[in-house]
Each structure stands twice: as structure tokens, then as C-alpha cells.
Amino acid sequence: MPTSGDGAAKEHRTVSRVTTILELAAAGPGGVRLSELAEQLGAPRSSIHGLVKGLVATGYLREEDGAYTIGPAVGTLLAAATPSIEQAARPVMRRLGERFGETVMLAEPVGDSVVYTETVESTQMIRYSAPLRTRRPLYPTSSGKCVLAFARKRFRDNYLSAHVPDGEQRNRVEQELTEIAETGIAVNRGETMPDVYGIGVPVLVGERVLAVLATAGPSHRMAGRVDEIAAAARLAAREVSELITRRG
Amino acid sequence: MPTSGDGAAKEHRTVSRVTTILELAAAGPGGVRLSELAEQLGAPRSSIHGLVKGLVATGYLREEDGAYTIGPAVGTLLAAATPSIEQAARPVMRRLGERFGETVMLAEPVGDSVVYTETVESTQMIRYSAPLRTRRPLYPTSSGKCVLAFARKRFRDNYLSAHVPDGEQRNRVEQELTEIAETGIAVNRGETMPDVYGIGVPVLVGERVLAVLATAGPSHRMAGRVDEIAAAARLAAREVSELITRRG
DNA sequence: GCCGTATGTTCGTATATATGAATACGATGA
DNA sequence: TCATCGTATTCATATATACGAACATACGGC
């Protein structure tokens, strides 16, 4: 998998013609006629004829009285454009937050960190207030644990060897991550800040963790219902995943 | 020019592939890889490779880390979609109406009539109140005169022979229409309703009259400034024409 | 009504492009 | 570090498609 940036985006005559046809159809008031398309493209009518008919068949062009205009399919391209994960997650997060009265965050992995890109804060007096758009470590945050647990072996090993002392502790952490990978639930029991619990569940698309849905709050409210919250969060994460994978 | 409705919109393999690629790129969250495109299309990677590169070159696809997403050019298709003539005309009409304190209408030719599709009414006590969306004759309305003056010879002759008595009167009308074609200004001096003046100027796109911008009001306010209003209206009509022809 | 012109459509051939094998490259796991 | 895998890319050849001419059809002016 070459991380190739572009690779000399070569031109392709037919493709260029197709796109130009669409552009001309979009620009021309009341549509464009076949002859005009041919003229603008510097190609014979008969050549454009086939392309245009093909575009009509696929709904990208509409034929109206011999004039061609942009068809309905073009709009669906943008409409079907996958909503950003933040957009998709927001309503789901809100429901989750209201149900348990705790703060819910969406964390996305970036490099050797996670970043909270969206939060729905609890309305309780005592609550976890999330630092939006700042980097947090991959351990021992609940979000980070999720990322590590589902990350590639090499990446995980690299990170752990740099951030967790070798020996007994390392083994415990690796054991924990293995369990997280199995259960799909990561918990931070006051490891970052005493008295703050976090529960992270991955938003999975295929094998990849696109983001983590994390619920956080004071231990006295969280400790007794970790399983309950985790179960609900897993359903919520699954819903987000479906929202961003289903095609429009 | 066959008025053909469609003509058996045949499919075109390459075109279908291009459109499907766009759809897949729009649907897939975070983009689609070349291999997946090839698989979904049931075609070899190498075949899709060329198409994809072509789409990247034209801006319809964006390559990001080996994954393809919808490119910026797609949005411009819809953005560049020509605004309806009503939309384009509305602000121009408003300015014109305010400047002279008279009612301004946009008339579009339909069959043997014109229809007012948009109006900006004067705020004066005495004003011309326009009948929106009803058919008006092509003569002697100022809008209709404009349409006739720029219409094809055959169409014009047909209409006149059906609506204007042969002989002296017919000659005068034809003379009037010729002048209108030269000046680009049609005036209705109380010919439809006594005391109501109308000034029509064509919104031309190429040779065609897409619509007519008509300013109407009571003769005592209009008669003395026909030329002034007509000059301003011509500029306004030209502006509308440019708005709907310029490509985005 | 007739003819001249412009447009869309069809058809057999030339050619650009799709194909599939082979190559190059990066990532992954031991 | 090495071998393995999957992916993107290149290249010579087969083929779908673009070409240009001829045909059909509608429209314009006389």
C-alpha cells in the first residue's frame, strides 16, 4: 500500500470529455444542445452523442427538448457524501449523555494521541468537563486504550515501549488491552485523575477504529454502573458506525 | 432539429464506470481504495486506474493517502447550475421598481401568450397591479410586442394574421414591431387599458427572448419619462441576461 | 408549398483505451 | 532484519469506442 500522494494524475480523454460535458450542461442556461457540446469540445457530434446518451442513462444528464441539463444523479453525489463522523455522532452522543447524566466525548486518534473532537457535557453540578481539541495520551485514557487495543501490533508495541515501564506493569497493560480487544470496552478507573472514571467504546468501521465514544464522570456515580453504561455505549457506537458507512 | 424526447438512452460502459466510481467515492466513509473500486465494478485494477487518475486530474476525485473521495469539482457543478431567470431577475427588478416607483414584471413567452412569472409592485397608491401567472396576449401588451418583435418570421406572421385585421392596421403593427426589434424597446400606450402605460424590454440570450422586463404604471406618471425608464430597463435586462449566462 | 440549412442519428472502420501479466513499493509480522 | 502480503503502477496487446461520412428529420426563409 504505497502511501503515494498522487502519482502524476494523468489526463484521460474520455473522462475529461465527460466532466466537461457536465460542466457545460451546468453552466448553460436552459441546457446545452448536442452540437454545442461537440463544438466546445472540438470533437465530432457522433463521438459526443454516445457519451451524452450514456450520461442520460445514468441520470447525470437530463434531456429536455433536445437540450441537456444537469440530471438528478449529480445532486445525490453530494447528498450521499458521507456525513462527517462528528455530525453523525452528535445526536447519538446527546442521547447517551442524557440517559446517564454524564459527559460524552468523541475521541479521534491522531498520531500518538487522541483528540476530543466533539463533546456533550453533562448538566450535573459535578461533571467531567472535556478539554476539546487538545491532545490526550493513548494511555491510560479510556479512549486511548481503545485505540491501542485495536491498533496494529507494531504501533502498539512501539507506543507501550516508549510509555510504559518494561516488566510486570507492561504485561498487565498488554493483558488489559487484549481484554479490551475482546470485549470492546475500555475503562479508566481514576488512573488519569483520581475520582474520574472513563468508559470508552470504539466506533469501528471494518477493522479500523475511526473514533472512540467515551463517557466520563465522577467515580461515585460511575463505579456502580460501568457495565450498564458500557452496554449502552456499545450500541451507540455501533449506531454511529452504521450512520457513516451506509450509503445514501 | 428533431424534437426527440430521448431516443433510447443507451448505456456506455466507460461512462457508467465513471459515474459508479463517483458514487462509490461519495458513499464510502473516508474514501475508497482503488482495489475496492475495481472489485465493485468487476473490472481489473489497471482499467480503473486510468479512469481514476483522469478524475483526479479534473478535480472530480481527490486522492488522499491512497483513498479516493469526491473532489471539489463536483460541488461546483451544482453551484454553477444556472439560477432560474426569476431568481436572477428579482433583485434587479426590485431596484428598477424602486428607482421609478412603478410596478415591474417579468414576462415569459409560453405558446401564443406571455405569462407574468414574477412581479415587484409599486408602493404608490395608484399603481399597476400585475396578474401573476395568468396568460396575456402577445398584442398589444408591451411584453408581448417584445416577444413578437424578436420572434421567428413565421411565428410572428401566424400570430398577426390571427389577431390583427389585415390591411392598414396590420402594416402599422408590423412597422412598430420592426422598430422594436431595432431599439429593443416596446411601449404600450394605453392600448390594453386606457391610462395604463407599459414599457417592455427583452432579456436576450443570444437571439432568443428568454423573458421580458416590463414596467407599468398610470399614463400621467409614465408618459413624460418613457425614454428614461426604457434606458434604465434596458440596462437592467442586460444585467439579468448576464447573470443567467455567465458560468460559475 | 418548396428548397436550403442545421441538427440528431446510424454505420463501418481507425484508434484510443481496457485488459491481464509482470513489476515496484510499502506495510506487516516473525 | 528478513520474507510475505497486499496494493499501486507499468507495459504490450485485444477490443470497445471514437471517428467521419452518409442518412434522416425538423426548421427557417422565400
Side-chain angles (χ1 to χ4, degrees), chain A residues 14 22-23 53 64 66 101-102 110 141 161 168 186 205 222 246:
Chain A
T14 305
L22 291 176
E23 281 157 22
K53 287 299 178 192
E64 201 171 316
E102 301 297 353
V110 27
T141 60
S161 66
E168 175 58 24
V205 168
M222 299 284 287
R246 79 148 166 236

Side-chain angles (χ1 to χ4, degrees), chain B residues 1-124:
Chain B
M1 175 194 336
T3 321
S4 64
D6 43 26
K10 267 180 160 16
E11 215 180 279
H12 181 120
R13 194 178 67 172
T14 305
V15 169
S16 297
R17 283 180 174 177
V18 167
T19 58
T20 307
I21 287 172
L22 291 176
E23 281 158 21
L24 290 172
V32 194
R33 316 195 121 264
L34 178 59
S35 327
E36 194 179 339
L37 288 175
E39 187 188 3
Q40 298 268 354
L41 284 164
R45 280 183 271 290
S46 56
S47 305
I48 307 307
H49 181 68
L51 297 178
V52 161
K53 286 300 177 192
L55 283 169
V56 170
T58 54
Y60 282 74
L61 233 46
R62 172 181 295 171
E63 183 170 9
E64 200 172 316
D65 229 28
Y68 297 96
T69 54
I70 286 293
V74 175
T76 72
L77 276 187
L78 292 179
T82 315
S84 75
I85 191 168
E86 288 88 358
Q87 287 176 291
R90 199 171 300 135
V92 177
M93 290 166 66
R94 196 178 310 273
R95 286 211 310 275
L96 190 63
E98 281 168 6
R99 173 164 170 196
F100 295 105
E102 302 295 355
T103 297
V104 178
M105 298 158 289
L106 187 76
E108 293 183 49
V110 29
D112 275 6
S113 322
V114 291
V115 173
Y116 299 134
T117 57
E118 187 76 34
T119 68
V120 174
E121 288 218 0
S122 156
T123 54
Q124 306 225 31

